[in-house]
Each structure stands twice: as structure tokens, then as C-alpha cells.
Amino acid sequence: MNTFLIGTGLMQSSAMQAASTARNIANANTPGYQRTDIRTGDVVPNQAPAQPPLAAAPLQANRQGLPPSNVDLATEMVNLIRVQTGYELGVKLVNVADDMTQETLNIKR
């Protein structure tokens, strides 16, 4: 059962990291936007965060000349690959937990 919880927690964490990275990419050219980052340790499996990471709004651009955003697209693309790998690992863990449960049930028969 722990394998299942670890897998779903990893998938949840990866989804939140992907959303944060997607928001960073979408706002790469928004003046004054500050990059957000979610680290794996910031997410508690199977528990909603106190404040959803999507609630963070970028700074509003004004005509007084905000600095350019601090988003590096190359870094964000690397993050997407890392997040995808983490999500795939979570799916594999859930599949292993399912296979183990099925084998346990088959032994009992």
C-alpha cells in the first residue's frame, strides 16, 4: 500500500511542478514577472497545499519600466523533462502496487 501512496504522491508533486513550469513559460515575456518554483519537498502527498501554487499572480506591468522577467526558457524546458520523468516513475510505482495487489489476491484463491 505504501508503494501506491508514494506513486500517487509523486504524480501529484509532478503535476504541481508542471503547472508552475507552464506558468513560468507562459509569462516569460511579461515584464516584472518573477519565476515561481515548487520543489518536491514542498508537496505533502495526498494533502492539498495551504495555498495553491497557481494562485500566485505575476506582477502587473506598468509604463514605468518594470525589469524583464527572470524566466530562463532553457531552464524551464529542462524542468519539464525532469517533471515528466518523475510523473512516469509515479505511474510505474502505481502499476507495481496494482500488480502486487493482484498477485496477493491470486495467491489467496
Side-chain angles (χ1 to χ4, degrees):
M1 189 58 102
N2 284 340
T3 306
F4 178 76
L5 293 176
I6 292 169
T8 56
L10 184 55
M11 291 167 60
Q12 178 185 16
S13 172
S14 296
M16 293 175 70
Q17 290 173 347
S20 174
T21 301
R23 188 175 51 254
N24 290 339
I25 292 170
N27 289 294
N29 292 326
T30 303
Y33 179 79
Q34 296 297 306
R35 179 182 182 276
T36 58
D37 190 23
I38 297 177
R39 290 164 280 153
T40 304
D42 294 342
V43 179
V44 177
N46 301 319
Q47 181 180 10
Q51 181 180 16
L54 296 177
L59 298 173
Q60 296 297 319
N62 61 26
R63 297 189 181 266
Q64 297 172 352
L66 289 174
S69 71
N70 65 345
V71 176
D72 177 31
L73 289 178
T75 300
E76 299 304 325
M77 291 299 155
V78 170
N79 284 342
L80 279 179
I81 293 168
R82 181 178 49 86
V83 166
Q84 179 183 5
T85 304
Y87 191 85
E88 289 171 356
L89 178 60
V91 169
K92 287 180 183 178
L93 285 172
V94 169
N95 288 336
V96 165
D98 184 48
D99 290 344
M100 289 176 13
T101 302
Q102 289 301 320
E103 286 297 320
T104 302
L105 292 174
N106 289 339
I107 289 172
K108 190 173 181 181
R109 292 181 189 173

